[in-house]
Short mmCIF file of all heavy atoms in Angstrom, two decimals:
data_model
loop_
_atom_site.label_atom_id
_atom_site.label_comp_id
_atom_site.label_asym_id
_atom_site.label_seq_id
_atom_site.Cartn_x
_atom_site.Cartn_y
_atom_site.Cartn_z
N GLY A 1456 -5.73 9.45 38.50
CA GLY A 1456 -5.25 9.31 39.96
C GLY A 1456 -5.39 7.82 40.41
O GLY A 1456 -4.42 7.20 40.82
N TYR A 1457 -6.61 7.34 40.36
CA TYR A 1457 -6.91 5.98 40.72
C TYR A 1457 -6.21 5.54 42.08
O TYR A 1457 -5.47 4.53 42.19
CB TYR A 1457 -6.44 4.94 39.69
CG TYR A 1457 -7.29 4.99 38.37
CD1 TYR A 1457 -6.85 5.74 37.29
CD2 TYR A 1457 -8.55 4.43 38.33
CE1 TYR A 1457 -7.59 5.86 36.17
CE2 TYR A 1457 -9.28 4.53 37.15
CZ TYR A 1457 -8.86 5.25 36.07
OH TYR A 1457 -9.62 5.33 34.95
N ALA A 1458 -6.43 6.35 43.13
CA ALA A 1458 -5.85 6.09 44.41
C ALA A 1458 -6.42 4.79 45.02
O ALA A 1458 -5.64 4.09 45.70
CB ALA A 1458 -6.15 7.28 45.34
N ASN A 1459 -7.63 4.53 44.77
CA ASN A 1459 -8.25 3.33 45.28
C ASN A 1459 -7.93 2.07 44.54
O ASN A 1459 -8.12 2.05 43.28
CB ASN A 1459 -9.81 3.50 45.37
CG ASN A 1459 -10.50 2.31 45.98
OD1 ASN A 1459 -10.73 1.33 45.31
ND2 ASN A 1459 -10.80 2.42 47.29
N LYS A 1460 -7.31 1.07 45.14
CA LYS A 1460 -6.88 -0.14 44.47
C LYS A 1460 -7.97 -0.85 43.73
O LYS A 1460 -7.78 -1.25 42.63
CB LYS A 1460 -6.28 -1.07 45.49
CG LYS A 1460 -5.74 -2.40 44.90
CD LYS A 1460 -5.12 -3.28 45.98
CE LYS A 1460 -4.62 -4.63 45.41
NZ LYS A 1460 -4.04 -5.43 46.40
N ARG A 1461 -9.16 -0.91 44.30
CA ARG A 1461 -10.28 -1.64 43.64
C ARG A 1461 -10.72 -0.90 42.40
O ARG A 1461 -10.92 -1.50 41.37
CB ARG A 1461 -11.49 -1.74 44.65
CG ARG A 1461 -12.67 -2.51 44.06
CD ARG A 1461 -13.80 -2.66 45.07
NE ARG A 1461 -14.90 -3.30 44.49
CZ ARG A 1461 -16.06 -3.57 45.25
NH1 ARG A 1461 -16.14 -3.18 46.44
NH2 ARG A 1461 -16.99 -4.24 44.61
N ASP A 1462 -10.77 0.44 42.45
CA ASP A 1462 -11.16 1.20 41.26
C ASP A 1462 -10.16 1.01 40.07
O ASP A 1462 -10.59 0.80 38.95
CB ASP A 1462 -11.24 2.62 41.57
CG ASP A 1462 -12.43 3.01 42.50
OD1 ASP A 1462 -13.34 2.14 42.64
OD2 ASP A 1462 -12.40 4.12 43.11
N ARG A 1463 -8.89 1.05 40.39
CA ARG A 1463 -7.91 0.95 39.29
C ARG A 1463 -7.83 -0.43 38.77
O ARG A 1463 -7.66 -0.67 37.60
CB ARG A 1463 -6.55 1.51 39.74
CG ARG A 1463 -5.84 0.70 40.79
CD ARG A 1463 -4.40 1.25 41.05
NE ARG A 1463 -3.79 0.64 42.22
CZ ARG A 1463 -3.82 1.13 43.45
NH1 ARG A 1463 -4.44 2.23 43.71
NH2 ARG A 1463 -3.22 0.45 44.35
N GLU A 1464 -7.97 -1.49 39.62
CA GLU A 1464 -7.93 -2.81 39.16
C GLU A 1464 -9.18 -3.15 38.32
O GLU A 1464 -9.12 -3.90 37.34
CB GLU A 1464 -7.79 -3.79 40.35
CG GLU A 1464 -6.38 -3.70 40.92
CD GLU A 1464 -6.25 -4.84 42.08
OE1 GLU A 1464 -7.20 -5.35 42.56
OE2 GLU A 1464 -5.03 -5.01 42.46
N THR A 1465 -10.35 -2.57 38.71
CA THR A 1465 -11.55 -2.80 37.87
C THR A 1465 -11.39 -2.12 36.54
O THR A 1465 -11.71 -2.72 35.50
CB THR A 1465 -12.75 -2.15 38.62
OG1 THR A 1465 -12.96 -2.86 39.93
CG2 THR A 1465 -14.03 -2.27 37.80
N ALA A 1466 -10.87 -0.91 36.53
CA ALA A 1466 -10.66 -0.21 35.22
C ALA A 1466 -9.66 -0.96 34.34
O ALA A 1466 -9.81 -1.10 33.17
CB ALA A 1466 -10.20 1.22 35.51
N ALA A 1467 -8.57 -1.45 35.00
CA ALA A 1467 -7.57 -2.22 34.21
C ALA A 1467 -8.15 -3.47 33.65
O ALA A 1467 -7.84 -3.92 32.51
CB ALA A 1467 -6.34 -2.51 35.10
N LYS A 1468 -9.00 -4.14 34.39
CA LYS A 1468 -9.63 -5.31 33.88
C LYS A 1468 -10.54 -5.08 32.76
O LYS A 1468 -10.53 -5.81 31.74
CB LYS A 1468 -10.38 -6.03 35.05
CG LYS A 1468 -10.98 -7.43 34.69
CD LYS A 1468 -11.67 -8.04 35.83
CE LYS A 1468 -12.26 -9.38 35.43
NZ LYS A 1468 -12.99 -10.05 36.64
N GLU A 1469 -11.33 -4.02 32.86
CA GLU A 1469 -12.29 -3.72 31.81
C GLU A 1469 -11.54 -3.25 30.53
O GLU A 1469 -12.02 -3.61 29.41
CB GLU A 1469 -13.23 -2.61 32.30
CG GLU A 1469 -14.21 -2.95 33.30
CD GLU A 1469 -15.04 -1.78 33.76
OE1 GLU A 1469 -14.82 -0.69 33.36
OE2 GLU A 1469 -16.00 -2.02 34.51
N LEU A 1470 -10.46 -2.65 30.61
CA LEU A 1470 -9.70 -2.14 29.53
C LEU A 1470 -8.61 -3.14 29.03
O LEU A 1470 -7.95 -2.88 28.03
CB LEU A 1470 -9.02 -0.88 29.76
CG LEU A 1470 -9.90 0.36 30.09
CD1 LEU A 1470 -9.12 1.49 30.69
CD2 LEU A 1470 -10.74 0.80 28.90
N SER A 1471 -8.48 -4.30 29.78
CA SER A 1471 -7.39 -5.20 29.49
C SER A 1471 -6.10 -4.39 29.46
O SER A 1471 -5.27 -4.58 28.61
CB SER A 1471 -7.58 -5.97 28.22
OG SER A 1471 -8.77 -6.73 28.22
#
Side-chain angles (χ1 to χ4, degrees):
Y1457 292 99
N1459 183 275
K1460 181 179 180 180
R1461 182 177 179 180
D1462 290 344
R1463 65 175 172 267
E1464 289 185 345
T1465 298
K1468 183 177 180 180
E1469 290 178 350
L1470 297 169
S1471 299

